[in-house]
Amino acid sequence: MGTTAKEEMARFWDKNTKSNRPLSPHVSIYKWSLPMAMSITHRGTGVALSMGVSLFGLAALLLPEQFPHYLAMVKSLSLGPALIYSAKFALVFPLSYHTWNGIRHLAWDMGKGFKLSQVNQSGLLVLLLTVLSSAALAAM
C-alpha cells in the first residue's frame, strides 16, 4: 500500500532537516534593479487592466443608463482642467506602459536586446515613451 501525502511530506522535511540544506533565497536578498521593477509592474498593470475592462463591461451590463448619461454627469461636476487631465493621465498610464513594455517583450521573444546594457536602455526607453504617450493621450 502506498504512503499518504502527509507521510511523504514528513519524510521530505526530515530528510532536508538532517542534511542541513539552506532554504531557497527570498526576495529580500536580491538587489532591486530596473528590469526587476519593470517586470513586476508589467504584471501588475496587466492584472489592473484586466480588472478594469471586466468592471467596465460589468457596469455597462448592469447600470440602468447608457454611457453618455454618466459622461454628462461627470461633465456636470465642473471639475477643473488640471484635475480632468490628471485623471485621464492616471487612466491611460497603465495602458501605455503595458503596451510599450509588451513591445519590448516581443523584441525579446525575437532574441533581440538581451545584453544588460540593452535591457536597461530599453527599460528607460519604455519609461520615456510611456510618459510621453500618456501625456499626449491625456491631452486629447
Side-chain angles (χ1 to χ4, degrees):
M1 182 147 193
T3 58
T4 65
K6 187 175 183 179
E7 292 168 343
E8 285 293 324
M9 287 300 293
R11 198 174 85 209
F12 170 81
W13 285 112
D14 286 342
K15 177 182 161 188
N16 280 343
T17 304
K18 289 176 185 171
S19 65
N20 291 323
R21 292 182 184 158
L23 293 176
S24 295
H26 192 264
V27 174
S28 64
I29 71 163
Y30 295 107
K31 180 183 173 197
W32 281 85
S33 63
L34 180 65
M36 180 190 294
M38 290 185 72
S39 175
I40 293 168
T41 305
H42 187 75
R43 294 165 195 250
T45 56
V47 169
L49 289 168
S50 296
M51 288 177 18
V53 168
S54 298
L55 290 174
F56 186 82
L58 189 61
L61 288 172
L62 298 178
L63 290 173
E65 297 291 333
Q66 297 294 319
F67 180 73
H69 171 77
Y70 298 106
L71 186 58
M73 283 177 57
V74 171
K75 286 182 179 180
S76 71
L77 295 173
S78 300
L79 302 171
L83 186 59
I84 294 288
Y85 180 83
S86 298
K88 288 165 66 175
F89 185 87
L91 286 173
V92 77
F93 188 87
L95 176 64
S96 181
Y97 175 80
H98 197 77
T99 300
W100 289 117
N101 206 37
I103 293 169
R104 179 182 181 218
H105 278 267
L106 287 174
W108 287 348
D109 288 345
M110 293 185 289
K112 308 286 186 206
F114 281 121
K115 293 180 183 170
L116 190 55
S117 63
Q118 293 171 327
V119 170
N120 286 322
Q121 287 172 348
S122 65
L124 292 173
L125 180 63
V126 163
L127 293 176
L128 177 67
L129 290 171
T130 297
V131 170
L132 293 176
S133 60
S134 297
L137 289 170
M140 296 177 125

